[in-house]
Amino acid sequence: QQQVKQSPQSLIVQKGGISIINCAYENTAFDYFPWYQQFPGKGPALLIAIRPDVSEKKEGRFTISFNKSAKQFSLHIMDSQPGDSATYFCAANGTNFGNEKLTFGTGTRLTIIP
Amino acid sequence: DTEVTQTPKHLVMGMTNKKSLKCEQHMGHRAMYWYKQKAKKPPELMFVYSYEKLSINESVPSRFSPECPNSSLLNLHLHALQPEDSALYLCASSQVGMSAYGYTFGSGTRLTVV
Protein backbone atom coordinates (compact mmCIF):
# COMPACT_ATOMS: atom_id res chain seq x y z
CA GLN A 1 0.00 0.00 0.00
CA GLN A 2 3.01 2.24 0.41
CA GLN A 3 4.09 1.86 -3.21
CA VAL A 4 4.03 4.52 -5.87
CA LYS A 5 4.11 3.09 -9.39
CA GLN A 6 5.73 5.20 -12.10
CA SER A 7 5.80 4.86 -15.88
CA PRO A 8 7.42 4.85 -18.33
CA GLN A 9 10.84 3.75 -17.16
CA SER A 10 12.46 5.75 -19.96
CA LEU A 11 11.18 8.34 -22.40
CA ILE A 12 12.63 9.97 -25.50
CA VAL A 13 10.97 13.17 -26.71
CA GLN A 14 11.89 15.53 -29.49
CA LYS A 15 12.80 19.10 -28.61
CA GLY A 16 9.68 21.21 -28.41
CA GLY A 17 7.44 18.23 -27.71
CA ILE A 18 5.43 17.34 -24.62
CA SER A 19 6.88 14.90 -22.10
CA ILE A 20 4.36 13.00 -19.97
CA ILE A 21 5.21 10.85 -16.96
CA ASN A 22 2.55 9.00 -14.99
CA CYS A 23 2.28 7.80 -11.41
CA ALA A 24 -0.28 5.80 -9.46
CA TYR A 25 -0.69 5.13 -5.76
CA GLU A 26 -2.81 3.00 -3.47
CA ASN A 27 -2.60 4.64 -0.06
CA THR A 28 -5.40 7.21 0.25
CA ALA A 29 -3.66 8.68 3.30
CA PHE A 30 -0.95 10.25 1.15
CA ASP A 31 -1.37 14.01 1.50
CA TYR A 32 1.17 15.61 -0.80
CA PHE A 33 2.63 14.64 -4.15
CA PRO A 34 5.94 16.21 -5.21
CA TRP A 35 8.01 15.63 -8.32
CA TYR A 36 11.81 15.60 -8.17
CA GLN A 37 14.32 16.14 -10.95
CA GLN A 38 17.74 14.55 -10.68
CA PHE A 39 20.75 15.17 -12.89
CA PRO A 40 23.67 12.71 -12.96
CA GLY A 41 25.94 13.14 -9.94
CA LYS A 42 23.48 15.42 -8.15
CA GLY A 43 20.84 14.99 -5.50
CA PRO A 44 17.13 15.19 -6.39
CA ALA A 45 15.69 18.70 -6.56
CA LEU A 46 12.06 19.55 -5.91
CA LEU A 47 10.44 20.53 -9.20
CA ILE A 48 6.75 20.98 -8.49
CA ALA A 49 4.22 19.55 -6.03
CA ILE A 50 0.47 19.26 -5.57
CA ARG A 51 -2.04 18.60 -2.80
CA PRO A 52 -4.87 16.09 -3.36
CA ASP A 53 -7.57 18.77 -3.14
CA VAL A 54 -6.26 20.39 -6.33
CA SER A 55 -6.68 18.86 -9.80
CA GLU A 56 -3.96 20.77 -11.61
CA LYS A 57 -0.95 22.92 -10.83
CA LYS A 58 1.18 24.74 -13.36
CA GLU A 59 4.60 26.31 -12.92
CA GLY A 60 6.13 27.57 -16.14
CA ARG A 61 6.47 24.67 -18.56
CA PHE A 62 5.72 22.09 -15.86
CA THR A 63 2.18 20.95 -15.01
CA ILE A 64 0.92 18.35 -12.56
CA SER A 65 -2.48 16.78 -13.26
CA PHE A 66 -4.07 14.99 -10.32
CA ASN A 67 -6.98 12.53 -10.44
CA LYS A 68 -7.96 11.73 -6.86
CA SER A 69 -10.67 9.21 -7.71
CA ALA A 70 -8.32 7.23 -9.96
CA LYS A 71 -5.39 7.71 -7.54
CA GLN A 72 -3.19 8.85 -10.38
CA PHE A 73 -1.09 11.91 -11.08
CA SER A 74 1.11 12.95 -13.94
CA LEU A 75 3.81 15.42 -14.89
CA HIS A 76 3.59 17.25 -18.21
CA ILE A 77 6.62 19.12 -19.54
CA MET A 78 5.63 21.47 -22.33
CA ASP A 79 8.09 22.62 -25.01
CA SER A 80 10.64 20.08 -23.76
CA GLN A 81 14.25 21.22 -24.00
CA PRO A 82 17.56 19.30 -24.02
CA GLY A 83 18.27 20.79 -20.57
CA ASP A 84 15.23 18.88 -19.26
CA SER A 85 17.06 15.59 -19.88
CA ALA A 86 17.24 14.07 -16.40
CA THR A 87 15.67 11.41 -14.22
CA TYR A 88 12.29 12.33 -12.78
CA PHE A 89 10.83 10.82 -9.63
CA CYS A 90 7.28 11.21 -8.44
CA ALA A 91 6.72 10.86 -4.73
CA ALA A 92 3.97 10.76 -2.15
CA ASN A 93 4.09 12.04 1.41
CA GLY A 94 2.46 10.09 4.20
CA THR A 95 2.45 10.20 7.98
CA ASN A 96 3.08 7.09 10.06
CA PHE A 97 2.90 7.34 13.85
CA GLY A 98 3.53 11.07 13.61
CA ASN A 99 6.55 10.69 11.36
CA GLU A 100 6.41 11.97 7.81
CA LYS A 101 7.88 9.86 5.06
CA LEU A 102 8.28 10.33 1.33
CA THR A 103 7.70 7.29 -0.86
CA PHE A 104 9.37 7.60 -4.24
CA GLY A 105 8.30 6.19 -7.57
CA THR A 106 10.79 4.10 -9.54
CA GLY A 107 11.94 6.96 -11.75
CA THR A 108 11.77 7.94 -15.42
CA ARG A 109 14.87 8.69 -17.43
CA LEU A 110 13.89 11.46 -19.84
CA THR A 111 15.99 12.24 -22.91
CA ILE A 112 15.17 15.23 -25.09
CA ILE A 113 16.65 14.96 -28.58
CA PRO A 114 17.30 17.96 -30.85
CA ASP B 1 22.01 29.78 2.49
CA THR B 2 19.69 27.27 0.83
CA GLU B 3 22.11 24.39 0.51
CA VAL B 4 22.76 21.04 2.07
CA THR B 5 26.51 20.38 1.93
CA GLN B 6 27.84 16.84 1.99
CA THR B 7 31.44 15.76 2.41
CA PRO B 8 33.30 13.99 1.04
CA LYS B 9 31.93 13.89 -2.51
CA HIS B 10 33.63 10.57 -3.20
CA LEU B 11 34.85 7.89 -0.79
CA VAL B 12 36.54 4.56 -1.38
CA MET B 13 36.88 2.33 1.66
CA GLY B 14 37.87 -1.19 2.46
CA MET B 15 35.59 -3.60 4.24
CA THR B 16 37.55 -3.24 7.49
CA ASN B 17 37.73 0.54 7.47
CA LYS B 18 35.83 3.04 9.60
CA LYS B 19 34.76 6.24 7.90
CA SER B 20 32.18 8.98 8.36
CA LEU B 21 29.98 10.94 6.01
CA LYS B 22 29.11 14.50 6.97
CA CYS B 23 26.14 16.69 6.17
CA GLU B 24 25.59 20.35 7.07
CA GLN B 25 22.71 22.77 6.55
CA HIS B 26 22.09 26.32 7.76
CA MET B 27 18.47 26.74 6.71
CA GLY B 28 17.10 26.29 10.22
CA HIS B 29 15.59 22.96 9.27
CA ARG B 30 15.01 20.70 12.27
CA ALA B 31 14.43 17.47 10.34
CA MET B 32 17.36 15.74 8.64
CA TYR B 33 17.47 12.56 6.65
CA TRP B 34 19.87 9.97 5.26
CA TYR B 35 18.95 8.25 2.00
CA LYS B 36 20.76 5.56 0.03
CA GLN B 37 20.47 5.52 -3.76
CA LYS B 38 21.66 2.72 -5.99
CA ALA B 39 22.20 3.30 -9.70
CA LYS B 40 18.98 3.79 -11.67
CA LYS B 41 16.89 3.40 -8.50
CA PRO B 42 14.95 5.86 -6.36
CA PRO B 43 16.35 7.09 -3.04
CA GLU B 44 15.65 4.74 -0.13
CA LEU B 45 15.10 6.25 3.30
CA MET B 46 17.56 5.10 5.97
CA PHE B 47 17.19 7.43 8.96
CA VAL B 48 15.20 10.47 10.02
CA TYR B 49 16.19 12.89 12.77
CA SER B 50 13.61 15.27 14.17
CA TYR B 51 14.85 17.95 16.60
CA GLU B 52 18.16 16.09 16.81
CA LYS B 53 16.47 12.87 17.94
CA LEU B 54 16.31 9.72 15.83
CA SER B 55 12.67 9.28 14.83
CA ILE B 56 12.85 6.73 12.01
CA ASN B 57 15.29 3.89 11.45
CA GLU B 58 14.26 1.89 8.40
CA SER B 59 15.76 -1.34 9.72
CA VAL B 60 19.20 -0.32 8.57
CA PRO B 61 22.09 -2.71 9.46
CA SER B 62 24.12 -1.65 12.48
CA ARG B 63 27.23 -1.15 10.34
CA PHE B 64 25.58 2.22 9.57
CA SER B 65 25.43 4.46 12.62
CA PRO B 66 23.84 7.92 12.38
CA GLU B 67 24.59 10.84 14.65
CA CYS B 68 23.08 14.30 14.91
CA PRO B 69 25.38 16.40 17.13
CA ASN B 70 23.41 19.61 16.63
CA SER B 71 20.63 21.13 14.57
CA SER B 72 22.93 21.87 11.62
CA LEU B 73 25.00 18.69 11.39
CA LEU B 74 24.26 15.09 10.54
CA ASN B 75 26.84 12.33 10.38
CA LEU B 76 26.74 8.77 9.15
CA HIS B 77 29.42 6.52 10.64
CA LEU B 78 30.40 3.54 8.56
CA HIS B 79 32.10 0.38 9.78
CA ALA B 80 32.68 -3.06 8.28
CA LEU B 81 30.70 -2.31 5.15
CA GLN B 82 30.07 -4.76 2.35
CA PRO B 83 30.60 -4.21 -1.39
CA GLU B 84 26.81 -4.13 -1.84
CA ASP B 85 26.74 -1.00 0.32
CA SER B 86 28.37 0.90 -2.52
CA ALA B 87 25.89 3.62 -3.49
CA LEU B 88 25.19 7.34 -3.51
CA TYR B 89 24.39 8.47 0.03
CA LEU B 90 22.15 11.49 0.14
CA CYS B 91 21.44 13.81 3.02
CA ALA B 92 18.29 15.95 3.05
CA SER B 93 16.66 18.43 5.39
CA SER B 94 13.25 20.01 5.88
CA GLN B 95 11.12 21.82 8.37
CA VAL B 96 9.57 19.34 10.81
CA GLY B 97 6.11 18.42 9.55
CA MET B 98 6.87 19.94 6.17
CA SER B 99 8.95 17.24 4.53
CA ALA B 100 7.15 17.29 1.22
CA TYR B 101 6.97 21.07 1.11
CA GLY B 102 10.62 21.86 1.50
CA TYR B 103 12.84 18.84 1.11
CA THR B 104 16.36 19.96 0.21
CA PHE B 105 18.83 17.30 -0.85
CA GLY B 106 22.60 17.52 -0.88
CA SER B 107 24.61 16.34 -3.88
CA GLY B 108 25.53 13.16 -2.10
CA THR B 109 28.62 11.11 -1.30
CA ARG B 110 29.50 8.46 -3.86
CA LEU B 111 30.69 5.53 -1.74
CA THR B 112 32.62 2.59 -3.13
CA VAL B 113 33.38 -0.36 -0.84
CA VAL B 114 36.24 -2.56 -2.03
Side-chain angles (χ1 to χ4, degrees):
Chain A
Q1 252 211 337
Q2 291 296 319
Q3 282 188 332
V4 177
K5 296 180 180 178
Q6 183 172 346
S7 63
Q9 189 173 7
S10 62
L11 181 62
I12 299 174
V13 175
Q14 206 144 25
K15 179 183 174 182
I18 303 173
S19 303
I20 302 173
I21 304 171
N22 301 299
C23 286
Y25 64 97
E26 289 293 327
N27 187 351
T28 56
F30 286 143
D31 60 5
Y32 205 71
F33 300 87
W35 284 88
Y36 286 85
Q37 179 189 56
Q38 186 175 25
F39 293 104
K42 298 292 186 183
L46 180 64
L47 188 63
I48 187 172
I50 198 167
R51 300 177 64 89
D53 53 351
V54 175
S55 61
E56 185 175 283
K57 183 174 182 181
K58 183 176 181 179
E59 290 184 0
R61 296 184 295 109
F62 301 91
T63 300
I64 300 178
S65 297
F66 190 86
N67 186 330
K68 188 174 180 178
S69 60
K71 292 186 280 188
Q72 295 175 346
F73 59 110
S74 60
L75 175 69
H76 291 64
I77 305 174
M78 311 299 288
D79 187 26
S80 299
Q81 298 297 312
D84 297 330
S85 297
T87 299
Y88 292 80
F89 294 99
C90 63
N93 185 61
T95 303
N96 186 26
F97 298 103
N99 294 310
E100 292 197 323
K101 178 180 174 181
L102 271 180
T103 300
F104 284 88
T106 49
T108 297
R109 180 170 288 189
L110 175 64
T111 303
I112 308 300
I113 56 175
Chain B
D1 189 350
T2 57
E3 284 189 345
V4 173
T5 303
Q6 290 188 242
T7 56
K9 292 192 183 305
H10 301 275
L11 178 62
V12 179
M13 61 185 290
M15 290 187 284
T16 59
N17 290 161
K18 286 185 180 181
K19 296 287 185 183
S20 295
L21 309 184
K22 296 186 184 300
C23 174
E24 188 170 5
Q25 58 88 15
H26 295 287
M27 294 178 282
H29 290 168
R30 300 301 296 275
M32 296 186 76
Y33 312 79
W34 280 116
Y35 279 83
K36 173 183 177 180
Q37 187 177 27
K38 301 283 271 184
K40 300 184 180 180
K41 296 291 186 183
E44 296 175 35
L45 183 65
M46 300 175 71
F47 302 104
V48 179
Y49 273 83
S50 179
Y51 296 109
E52 295 85 69
K53 289 190 179 353
L54 184 65
S55 60
I56 295 179
N57 177 340
E58 292 285 283
S59 303
V60 178
S62 59
R63 57 185 183 270
F64 296 91
S65 175
E67 178 196 19
C68 190
N70 60 53
S71 60
S72 299
L73 293 174
L74 185 66
N75 298 321
L76 186 63
H77 303 297
L78 313 173
H79 173 54
L81 295 192
Q82 304 297 310
E84 58 265 29
D85 296 321
S86 298
L88 181 68
Y89 287 84
L90 294 162
C91 173
S93 71
S94 74
Q95 296 287 359
V96 174
M98 300 275 285
S99 64
Y101 295 72
Y103 226 78
T104 303
F105 280 90
S107 290
T109 294
R110 176 74 60 187
L111 174 67
T112 303
V113 182
V114 297

